[in-house]
Amino acid sequence: MTVLFTDGALLDDPKRAGIGGVVKGYLGAQDTRLLFVAGLSPEAGAGGVSIRDSFVKALGASAAEKRVLLAGAYDLSNVYPSFANLVKAARR
């Protein structure tokens, strides 16, 4: 399992716009069973679109992959419960 903590804000750094290709690479690795992305804020960002929605759009087709688990969190204290709930659901 790979865990990626991010604020999801793709617009602050042009290199982050390539996240879709990076995630596709992780998913292409034989050993990747799950990729958990934590810390995606559901709050609206620039233009009224949430940071989470912008991040999911940047992931492209990888966002629909069943091995990719996304969790929104306003702060780090919410990340672990979100992670635990998603892992439990994925195991079912």
Side-chain angles (χ1 to χ4, degrees):
M1 174 183 290
T2 302
V3 178
L4 171 65
F5 289 95
T6 180
D7 63 2
L10 297 171
L11 301 177
D12 353 356
D13 182 352
K15 291 180 183 178
R16 291 185 189 184
I19 192 71
V22 172
V23 169
K24 189 175 181 180
Y26 276 123
L27 295 174
Q30 279 186 321
D31 296 335
T32 301
R33 294 185 57 185
L34 289 174
L35 174 62
F36 175 71
V37 183
L40 298 174
S41 174
E43 294 177 314
V49 178
S50 76
I51 292 171
R52 183 183 192 279
D53 290 345
S54 297
F55 188 82
V56 169
K57 183 178 178 182
L59 288 181
S62 296
E65 166 71 49
K66 67 180 182 177
R67 294 177 295 159
V68 176
L69 305 176
L70 303 171
Y74 290 101
D75 58 48
L76 290 178
S77 67
N78 190 28
V79 170
Y80 181 76
S82 299
F83 173 72
N85 291 336
L86 284 170
V87 170
K88 285 177 190 174
R91 286 182 176 169
R92 293 183 185 139

